[in-house]
Amino acid sequence: MALPFNTLATAVGILSTASSVIALQNGVGKLPVMGYNAWNVFQCNVNESLIIQTAQYMKEYGLLDVGYKYVNLDDCWAMKNRSSTGEVVSDTTRFPDMKNLTDQLHALGFYAGIYSDSGWFTCAGYPGSFMHEEQDALTFQSWGFDFLKYDNCAIPFDDVIREGIVGKYQRMTDALATVAEKTGSTFVFSLCEWGWNQVWLWGASMGHSWRIDGDIGPYWSSIASIINSASFITQATNYYGRNDPDMLEIGNGDLTYEEAKTHFTAWALMKAPLLIGTNLATISSDMLSILKNTEIIAINQDPVYGTSISPFRWGINPDWTSDASSPAQYWSGQSQNGTVIMLINTVDEPADMFFNLTESPWIRAGRQYAVRDLWTHTSNGTAIRNFTAKNVAPHGVAALLLEDAGDEPAGLTPPCAGEAATQCTAEDGTRYY
């Protein structure tokens, strides 16, 4: 028998405030998740055989070896109705035995991920977890899953939930913490609320990653728009919590090879989750090589620095301009092996891209730097005070690692480089402009 709204609302309020945890501090998710999610290419047309075959391709192609360790289900894996006792039930034809599925994935060397929703229903109309958070979390744990993606469809009426997005997601965070306490099992928790309510301000108190924008598409305008959104909130990313610009579209749609490289570089260097979303049975060798660039992956999985790269100059646009078609072009960040530089050519023709080294806050004045190209896998000489990436392809990228190579040559003029030149002053007070 259904509860009247006022009684249900009271019950919801009690559940959302009881035993509330500040964060999902469960020891997993320190580094960005790397793996696979079938939604972008297969959507609801998935079954156990497809998922296992995909995992086998990942192993065969060496993707597991370079770090892609998660194989995750998305929407449509369930029956449309719960059991008589309220349990969510997997589709009896397509996923007849979830424990068998996760056992097979684990035996192949992977972690297993599942999907649910914070509302009444998932985005495809299957049972959501609202009012069933702990029950569903226990079910997912008993099936052997290690990862939960949590969507934001079918939001209950305000007089039912009496919560905003923060409270709605806190419910599952609390449930996962309770399940960990009861069973010892932990989940990586991925929030998928599309960047609502400035999730980058509170996402790290709930889970390990949070979507920052709407669904990605396999075309350049979508990639550029998401990079633009990410450029203003990079400081939110660190160990155990990171901005999520959505799953990878490498191998899908009409992305050129150069655009796919830019897509992968930006996601990896922003320390985003890297979830492959294409048909591995038909992936080209070029697209596979992008996904397997171990020098780029090493930055994403850096155990010393967990922070994202950030723009140091917007380029075509004035700094701090929001432009979905032409995002920030000049980015840098820290890594255990040097300063990472990303240069994005947002125009439709090749371009040389010049920058002064000390425009990046991570470069030391008065030093020279050895330049490593992370796509050609070559050493490109030594940069002194500035560097130009030549002939960067339309919508293409240059990804560089600058390693300190000692003092710059003596006697260079002016005696101060970059912005410091406006206040460059000798010990006797003489100023140099």
Side-chain angles (χ1 to χ4, degrees), residues 339 357 362-365 367-371 381-384 402-406:
T339 299
L357 299 189
W362 314 118
I363 291 292
R364 295 171 59 192
R367 308 287 286 181
Q368 57 187 331
Y369 285 82
V371 180
T382 302
I384 301 172
L402 272 55
E403 299 178 74
D404 192 303

Side-chain angles (χ1 to χ4, degrees), residues 3 62 230 311 313 319 323 426:
L3 292 171
R313 174 157 42 102
D319 288 353
D323 184 345

Side-chain angles (χ1 to χ4, degrees), residues 28-276:
V28 299
K30 178 179 180 179
L31 296 174
V33 163
M34 296 175 61
Y36 185 90
N37 182 298
W39 181 258
N40 283 352
V41 64
F42 295 111
Q43 278 133 39
C44 285
N45 300 313
V46 291
N47 56 45
E48 180 180 305
S49 296
L50 175 68
I51 297 302
I52 295 302
Q53 180 64 71
T54 297
Q56 291 169 341
Y57 281 132
M58 292 175 72
K59 196 159 187 175
E60 177 185 343
Y61 296 162
L63 290 164
L64 174 62
D65 292 337
V66 299
Y68 294 93
K69 296 179 180 178
Y70 286 78
V71 177
N72 299 338
L73 299 181
D74 211 281
D75 208 342
C76 309
W77 57 263
M79 299 294 287
K80 288 286 184 148
N81 296 302
R82 291 178 175 271
S83 72
S84 59
T85 53
E87 281 85 10
V88 66
V89 180
S90 64
D91 187 290
T92 54
T93 301
R94 294 184 293 115
F95 294 98
D97 188 340
M98 283 296 204
K99 187 64 169 66
N100 180 60
L101 172 66
T102 63
D103 284 347
Q104 291 183 76
L105 291 174
H106 291 153
L108 287 167
F110 294 96
Y111 296 106
I114 198 165
Y115 165 101
S116 190
D117 191 283
S118 57
W120 296 117
F121 307 103
T122 70
C123 298
Y126 294 83
S129 290
F130 182 66
M131 294 293 290
H132 291 273
E133 289 87 358
E134 187 175 331
Q135 185 178 35
D136 286 358
L138 283 166
T139 297
F140 301 152
Q141 182 274 332
S142 71
W143 286 343
F145 285 100
D146 312 287
F147 174 105
L148 174 61
K149 176 182 174 181
Y150 208 50
D151 223 333
N152 192 30
C153 285
I155 297 172
F157 292 166
D158 290 351
D159 61 355
V160 174
I161 191 168
R162 301 196 187 279
E163 282 283 8
I165 296 296
V166 176
K168 191 156 70 82
Y169 275 82
Q170 182 74 59
R171 295 168 62 85
M172 183 53 85
T173 296
D174 293 347
L176 293 175
T178 299
V179 169
E181 186 177 338
K182 288 181 176 180
T183 69
S185 296
T186 55
F187 284 79
V188 174
F189 189 31
S190 172
L191 283 58
C192 185
E193 42 44 84
W194 318 311
W196 288 14
N197 289 103
Q198 297 177 281
V199 63
W200 44 90
L201 300 180
W202 52 268
S205 70
M206 302 280 176
H208 303 100
S209 64
W210 45 88
R211 282 279 298 280
I212 63 167
D213 213 331
D215 290 352
I216 194 172
Y219 38 85
W220 174 249
S221 61
S222 176
I223 305 305
S225 177
I226 293 172
I227 293 172
N228 177 64
S229 295
S231 66
F232 299 97
I233 54 174
T234 57
Q235 67 273 23
T237 287
N238 210 328
Y239 292 136
Y240 298 106
R242 54 199 53 87
N243 294 323
D244 177 5
D246 206 0
M247 298 169 287
L248 296 171
E249 291 281 16
I250 312 298
N252 296 337
D254 62 0
L255 288 174
T256 68
Y257 174 68
E258 296 297 337
E259 289 168 347
K261 281 172 53 182
T262 303
H263 174 20
F264 186 72
T265 302
W267 266 235
L269 302 190
M270 290 190 296
K271 305 293 179 76
L274 300 177
L275 292 173
I276 300 167

